[in-house]
Every structure is written in structure tokens, then in C-alpha cells.
Amino acid sequence: MPSSTVIISRNGRKMTTALSTALKRGRAFLTPTNSSTAVPKLRDGFAQAPEGSLFPKVDPSVDGEDCEHDCESCSIKYPAKFKIDEDEKLYGHVNGWATHMLVATGKTDWVRDVSDEKGSVMEAVRDCGVEPTNGIFLVQDPDDHHSPSDPTSILLLPSFTIVENVTPQTVPSLIEHHISSAPTSSTPLPSTNPILSPPQALEPSIAAPPPSPPDASVPLHHPTPFTTRPCPHRYLILLCSQRTRDARCGQSAPLLRREFERHLRPLSLYRDLQDERPGGTGIYFISHVGGHKFSANVMVYRRGGTDALEDGRREDGMGEGSQCIWLARARPEDCEGIVRFTMLQGKVVKPERQLRGGFDRERGLVSW
């Protein structure tokens, strides 16, 4: 599902500018800032996680002596002149988002600003004048096979919900009835599944308070012109492939996709764009997310209760997304570790070098 990304502010009450402005400034939401994360701040019942506490790092005593090693069988290499920023600090320098929307476009590259695509859903999101009420909205184009002249489908995250029959004309209804009422990155999970490899607990002084009960006055279902269904995938790996923003993204995404596929197939987890079997992993090319100087950017979405057991069995869990783990500076030799530990277990192999941020809805933590 090729997609574009749109960002909507995390707190609808603070949305004082039009959505078109949010779209035009979307890069700023995802670009490094100089803000400090040293002092955790509580928002919406969630705590801001200091560096080192959001996701656990692999531990050789638990995960095996080779857990920190690069893949030795990887033969795919980046071009010799593939150079990126290796020095700038990553963690805690992306602004948060509430809802992530992937719009199927059938492309792997786009115009520089996806909202400038004439007659597109992304343009309609920018220009329709309707703002979501539940926070920052991130919109991207994934590479799903789709004819531009037909109604398209979108994937809402972290709800893992596909909305079909979307057109530019129906975008206001989409935002009002589906996006504004969708779960967000700081919405507690409806039910909590036990984590098989729990990360270390935060200090009591920064632990998140108990979540507030859902607002019973908000209707759960609305009559709309759309059809909805759950996303069939258990995991999602999103790769920025927008060459028009930076050639390194266009170079790295296809190479990473090949290497991820190589590691997913033996686990029976690979799903191509037409594979609707439940479970498995969808790998989508997406438009610019910011920070191309840290290419390759990889966003891993995990549904609740999807941790792997040591014998290869996996826990059932096809509910809403519980985590998004945003990595940067990913290389082909990192793919094995990302599959084995990040995707399957929610751990990070090289947090100091690669972790930009993300959220954990089970533990009530965000990086922003």
C-alpha cells in the first residue's frame, strides 16, 4: 500500500491554524529540534520517556551473544557514495503525532510536497478546511497498487483500520467521522495483553498515572459513505522512498525491502501488497517523514500482544497498534536484528545510534 503521510496536532484544543498550514509545515513536526527531554512531562495520561526508557535494548544475556551483531549473511550494500549524518543526536527530537494516515496512491515516488498532487486525497486534506479534533494528523502515500482515477483506500494507525472508497470529495466526512474518533498514539489500549519480555519499569517519579476512562458521550460508530475493515497485517514496516525529497531515500528503500523480505520469508511472515492472509508483515514505501539526512528512516508498527517466544511461536494479538518504533540510519545489515528483536519483541538493537522516538500505548509512554 504505497502511501503519503499527514500529520494532525496531538491536542485538538490547541489547533489554531488551518489544516492546510499543518500540511505545509508537516516537515517541521518531524524534523529534529533542540528541545530537551531531560524532564518528563505528562500529557493525556501519558509520560514522556527519557532516553533509554521507552523501549528496551537487546541484552546478550537474554537475547543471545549475537543479538548486537550485524547480519553476517547480508550481501546487499548501499552505494559507495551513500553518506548520512552520523553525529547528530536522534532521540527525542521529533514532535509527536496522534493519528497516522496512509493514502494508497500506487506510487513509490511523489511530487515534492504530496499535498500539491492535483486532484488527490492529500490535496483535499490540506484544502478542505475540516480539522481533526483528536490531535496531530500525519498523512503519507504508500505504494499500494491503485489507479489515480478510482476511489482509494486509507490505512489509519494506530487503529490498524482500512477505510475504503475514499475520494477527495469525501475527505471532510472522513476527517469528521473516522479520523477525529480514531484511537491515537496517546489513547490507552482497550485491553492490555501481557508482554512476554517486559522492559524495565520507569522510576516511580515519572510513571504515567492511570488512564482516564473513555468519554461515553462520544459515539463509537457513524454512518459514512465508506466501508471499513481491519488491516490484515500483524506488523507494519514503513520505509521512506521519496527520491524527489532526497536521493538516498529512493536508493535505500528498495534495498531494505529486499533484505527484510529475505528474513521474513523463512518465518512465514512476509506479505506482498496483494496478500490478504491474516497476520504477517506488510512493508510499505511511504513519502517523506523528515530527517532524510538520517536515511534510511524505518517506522515499525506493532499490534498488541505480538511478542515472540524463544521457540519461534508467536502470541495472538490482532487488536490496535500498541507501539511505533521509529528508527533511522538503518542499513541492510540491520534488517535481521530489526525483524528478530524490534518487530517481533519490541526491543531496539542500536538505540543510541538509531532510535528517533515513538510511543508505547501499553505502558503509557511517548518520546515527545
Side-chain angles (χ1 to χ4, degrees), residues 25-299:
R25 300 177 57 196
R27 292 191 300 276
F29 284 110
L30 297 172
T31 333
T33 68
N34 294 321
S35 61
S36 170
T37 58
V39 180
K41 301 176 182 179
L42 297 180
R43 298 189 196 91
D44 306 326
F46 275 50
Q48 183 184 35
E51 186 172 7
S53 63
L54 181 55
F55 306 113
K57 182 179 179 178
V58 293
D59 181 351
S61 66
V62 175
D63 302 305
E65 295 182 357
D66 64 342
C67 66
E68 297 176 320
H69 297 173
D70 292 340
C71 176
E72 296 180 353
S73 62
C74 178
S75 60
I76 295 177
K77 304 295 181 184
Y78 283 160
K81 295 184 178 180
F82 191 96
K83 304 296 182 183
I84 62 170
D85 184 319
E86 292 282 0
D87 301 320
E88 190 168 329
K89 179 180 173 62
L90 288 182
Y91 183 79
H93 294 285
V94 292
N95 286 357
W97 69 96
T99 307
H100 194 168
M101 183 174 90
L102 303 181
V103 183
T105 61
K107 298 180 180 181
T108 58
D109 198 9
W110 301 267
V111 297
R112 181 174 176 81
D113 188 332
V114 295
S115 61
D116 288 337
E117 187 77 44
K118 298 299 182 184
S120 67
V121 167
M122 294 79 68
E123 181 187 47
V125 169
R126 182 191 67 190
D127 296 342
C128 71
V130 179
E131 301 173 359
T133 60
N134 64 346
I136 292 177
F137 178 42
L138 178 63
V139 179
Q140 288 179 301
D141 298 310
D143 55 330
D144 200 5
H145 297 302
H146 166 71
S147 172
S149 61
D150 297 332
T152 190
S153 59
I154 67 162
L155 172 59
L156 288 181
L157 298 168
S159 68
F160 273 75
T161 299
I162 295 174
V163 183
E164 298 175 324
N165 300 321
V166 177
T167 66
Q169 294 73 27
T170 59
V171 162
S173 179
L174 174 73
I175 295 174
E176 181 180 358
H177 296 303
H178 287 278
I179 295 172
S180 290
S181 60
T184 72
S185 59
S186 58
T187 302
L189 286 174
S191 60
T192 301
N193 296 310
I195 296 292
L196 299 176
S197 301
Q200 294 181 351
L202 291 175
E203 294 297 325
S205 61
I206 61 173
S212 303
D215 187 352
S217 66
V218 178
L220 298 179
H221 302 286
H222 306 273
T224 70
F226 315 107
T227 58
T228 62
R229 59 187 176 91
C231 173
H233 304 311
R234 188 185 299 264
Y235 313 97
L236 291 176
I237 297 177
L238 309 182
L239 307 173
C240 178
S241 67
Q242 190 168 358
R243 182 183 294 270
T244 55
R245 297 303 295 265
D246 194 286
R248 291 168 293 189
C249 298
Q251 293 169 339
S252 61
L255 298 177
L256 291 181
R257 187 172 191 163
R258 283 169 51 193
E259 189 63 11
F260 277 125
E261 179 180 347
R262 186 172 77 89
H263 292 289
L264 290 169
R265 284 192 180 278
L267 301 174
S268 299
L269 290 175
Y270 177 72
R271 301 289 189 270
D272 63 28
L273 295 177
Q274 288 76 45
D275 194 336
E276 292 285 318
R277 288 177 297 159
T281 304
I283 304 176
Y284 296 161
F285 289 166
I286 60 172
S287 55
H288 182 62
V289 294
H292 47 252
K293 66 180 179 179
F294 307 123
S295 183
N297 279 276
V298 178
M299 301 178 81

